């Protein structure tokens, strides 16, 4: 029976609880660990998970969380948990150059939503910031987040895109994400360049955002679920954060990419049916499944780090309970239905 969560404190406790595998791996992470873009959906719990793992390992790992921190509350939350914070705008070279020295660097900065309205901003955040960071932290080990959106849609029966597949996605966001990868790779190939692991993540989910959350909220409100993009991958955010922190040993030069997501694809119709049962409400569907979807194959990373330990059943039970008790939602839908690359 999955542990259900009653409030954000419960959720954060689960997301930041280190497993033995991470406590072991964190000993190899070099201090200070600088986490860039730490003010988003993943960064705060990721930084505190690293802190708690290091404490349990007896490893004196200083953690510096960097973001613009428009939301001061997050900064306070991190500081109260032993994570140092620094305000920086990585689009500003001077601001990036003034960042503290790093042992290892974790790169979480990205911009996806709002691309249709302001594509230039998306290109700037996904290219200029990596350029500044690659130069500022030349020679440091870097784990940089990327996205499964770097692949085009793929046939569902094909088992998901692998790391060797061509990066020919649709849309400006996805192409800017390819550029983000290429910049890190370019700098990793220079003499004295960084060793880099690029993690192509497909849909992290906690209870405040994620594909299962989007589905559960629609079912709860009686809104139709579009089946056209009928399959998806997703991973519990706590598992994604753990695998990200364990990925430093995979950093190499030239950079190498890894798909980070569930070992298999999930069918929207089936997941919605399970959520409907848990919620006691019948899902409403529209459209029909296409032959293709945005899917990644995570076999290579799972062979290195093991499969993510939280199964879909636990994610759905937690999500349904959270929606039923009126738990907080970020109001940041994943738009997993998008098939034309327009975000
Ligand atoms: N969450 C997912 O399901 C998912 C899926 C695929 C890929 N990813 C990738 O994983 C990474 C982390 O995901 P996330 O969901 O935490 O992303 P997110 O919520 O968008 O967070 C990224 C953070 O980067 C910071 N940032 C943006 N521009 C910046 C700048 N100029 N200077 C300094 N900081 C800046 C922002 O925080 P401030 O406003 O505080 O600066 C932002 O909140 C992203 O790169 C994303 O592309 C995530």
């Amino acid at each position: 029976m999955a542990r259900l969560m009653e409030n954000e404190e419960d959720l954060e406790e689960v997301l930041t609880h280190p497993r033995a595998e991470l406590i072991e791996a964190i000993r190899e992470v070099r201090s200070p660990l600088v986490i860039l873009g730490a003010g988003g959906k993943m960064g705060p719990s990721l930084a505190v998970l690293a802190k708690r793992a290091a404490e349990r390992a007896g490893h004196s790992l200083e953690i510096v969380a960097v973001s613009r921190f428009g939301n001061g509350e997050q900064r306070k939350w991190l500081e109260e948990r032993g994570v140092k914070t620094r305000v920086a705008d990585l689009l500003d070279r001077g601001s990036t150059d003034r960042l503290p020295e790093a042992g290892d660097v974790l790169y979480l900065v990205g911009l996806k939503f709002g691309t249709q309205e302001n594509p230039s901003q998306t290109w700037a955040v996904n290219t200029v910031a990596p350029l500044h960071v690659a130069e500022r932290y030349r020679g440091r080990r870097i784990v940089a987040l990327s996205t499964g959106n770097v692949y085009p849609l793929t046939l569902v029966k094909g088992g998901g895109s692998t790391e060797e597949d061509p990066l020919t996605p649709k849309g400006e966001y996805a192409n800017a994400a390819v550029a983000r990868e290429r910049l890190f790779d370019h700098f990793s190939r220079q003499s004295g360049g960084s060793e880099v692991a690029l993690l192509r993540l497909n849909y992290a989910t906690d209870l405040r955002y994620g594909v299962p959350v989007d589905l559960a909220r629609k079912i709860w409100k009686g809104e139709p679920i579009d089946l056209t993009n009928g399959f998806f991958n997703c991973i519990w955010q706590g598992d994604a954060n753990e695998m990200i922190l364990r990925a430093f040993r995979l950093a190499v030069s030239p950079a190498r990419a890894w798909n980070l997501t569930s070992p298999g694809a999930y069918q929207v119709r089936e997941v919605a049916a399970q959520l409907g049962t848990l919620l006691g409400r019948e899902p409403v569907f529209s459209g029909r499944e296409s032959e293709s979807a945005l899917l990644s194959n995570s076999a290579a990373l799972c062979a290195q780090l093991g499969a993510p330990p939280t199964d879909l059943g636990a994610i759905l039970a937690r999500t349904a309970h959270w929606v039923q008790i009126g738990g907080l939602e970020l109001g940041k839908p994943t738009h997993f239905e998008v098939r034309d690359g327009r975000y």
Side-chain angles (χ1 to χ4, degrees), residues 245-267:
L245 286 165
R246 291 170 61 207
F248 278 101
R249 71 173 175 82
L250 304 176
V252 286
S253 168
R256 174 160 176 190
W258 304 85
N259 292 337
L260 171 58
T261 193
S262 49
Y266 303 126
Q267 184 169 20

Side-chain angles (χ1 to χ4, degrees), residues 40-42 67-69 88-90 108-109 146 180 201 204 209:
K41 299 185 292 301
M42 302 184 75
S67 234
R68 291 166 306 184
F69 288 119
D89 181 353
L90 301 176
L108 300 174
V109 177
S146 177
R180 171 172 62 175
L201 174 60
Y209 81 101

Side-chain angles (χ1 to χ4, degrees), residues 10-320:
D10 269 1
L11 172 59
E12 295 293 0
E13 174 60 30
V14 170
L15 290 175
T16 62
H17 180 77
R19 294 195 310 144
E21 288 83 346
L22 177 58
I23 295 167
E24 186 54 40
I26 204 88
R27 294 176 211 273
E28 305 302 323
V29 177
R30 299 163 189 161
S31 189
L33 170 63
V34 172
I35 305 180
L36 303 167
K41 299 185 292 301
M42 302 184 75
S45 57
L46 178 46
V48 173
L49 176 67
K51 184 76 195 165
R52 290 182 72 182
E55 281 168 1
R56 292 278 302 276
H59 175 33
S60 55
L61 180 66
E62 185 186 341
I63 296 170
V64 185
V66 177
S67 234
R68 291 166 306 184
F69 288 119
N71 171 358
E73 277 303 304
Q74 255 165 0
R75 215 178 158 192
K76 187 164 159 267
W77 188 85
L78 284 162
E79 297 268 358
E80 282 169 358
R81 286 156 184 78
V83 174
K84 295 197 170 140
T85 61
R86 285 287 291 266
V87 175
D89 181 353
L90 301 176
L91 291 182
D92 174 348
R93 186 181 290 273
S95 177
T96 313
D97 287 346
R98 285 191 294 277
L99 286 175
E101 252 319 308
D104 283 330
V105 175
L106 190 43
Y107 187 87
L108 300 174
V109 177
L111 184 63
K112 177 176 187 179
F113 298 113
T115 301
Q116 273 312 103
E117 294 74 44
N118 188 352
S120 311
Q121 180 71 8
T122 295
W123 279 97
V125 171
N126 291 315
T127 60
V128 175
L131 167 71
H132 289 166
V133 167
E135 288 182 340
R136 168 66 186 88
Y137 289 113
R138 186 185 180 80
R140 298 286 145 252
R141 274 196 313 188
I142 300 177
V143 170
L145 265 288
S146 177
T147 166
N149 283 93
V150 295
Y151 302 115
L153 300 181
T154 182
L155 287 178
V156 173
K157 60 183 180 204
S161 297
T162 68
E163 290 84 348
E164 291 73 37
D165 287 348
L167 306 187
T168 52
K170 258 194 195 164
E172 296 218 38
Y173 161 66
N175 281 287
V178 174
R180 171 172 62 175
E181 285 199 9
R182 296 299 189 218
L183 280 158
F184 279 117
D185 181 51
H186 171 72
F187 283 94
S188 79
R189 288 169 189 266
Q190 295 191 341
S191 138
S194 291
E195 295 178 319
V196 176
L198 297 163
L199 299 181
R200 295 175 180 160
L201 174 60
N202 261 7
Y203 295 124
T205 186
D206 74 14
L207 304 178
R208 299 162 293 197
Y209 81 101
V211 180
V213 176
D214 293 350
L215 295 174
R217 298 247 169 225
K218 284 197 166 168
I219 296 165
W220 195 242
K221 292 185 211 154
E223 293 174 2
I225 292 170
D226 182 1
L227 293 174
T228 320
N229 197 59
F231 295 80
F232 66 99
N233 300 115
C234 80
I235 178 170
W236 177 246
Q237 177 159 299
D239 297 348
N241 284 347
E242 179 196 299
M243 292 170 89
I244 291 166
L245 286 165
R246 291 170 61 207
F248 278 101
R249 71 173 175 82
L250 304 176
V252 286
S253 168
R256 174 160 176 190
W258 304 85
N259 292 337
L260 171 58
T261 193
S262 49
Y266 303 126
Q267 184 169 20
V268 173
R269 190 189 289 271
E270 270 178 22
V271 170
Q274 286 181 51
L275 282 167
T277 304
L278 289 162
L279 290 165
R281 297 193 183 183
E282 196 67 33
V284 181
F285 296 115
S286 68
R288 275 182 46 215
E289 284 91 348
S290 315
E291 285 188 335
S292 62
L294 183 72
L295 294 172
S296 298
N297 183 319
S298 62
L301 188 63
C302 290
Q304 292 288 333
L305 303 180
T310 309
D311 65 28
L312 182 68
I315 294 173
L316 299 187
R318 289 169 178 174
T319 304

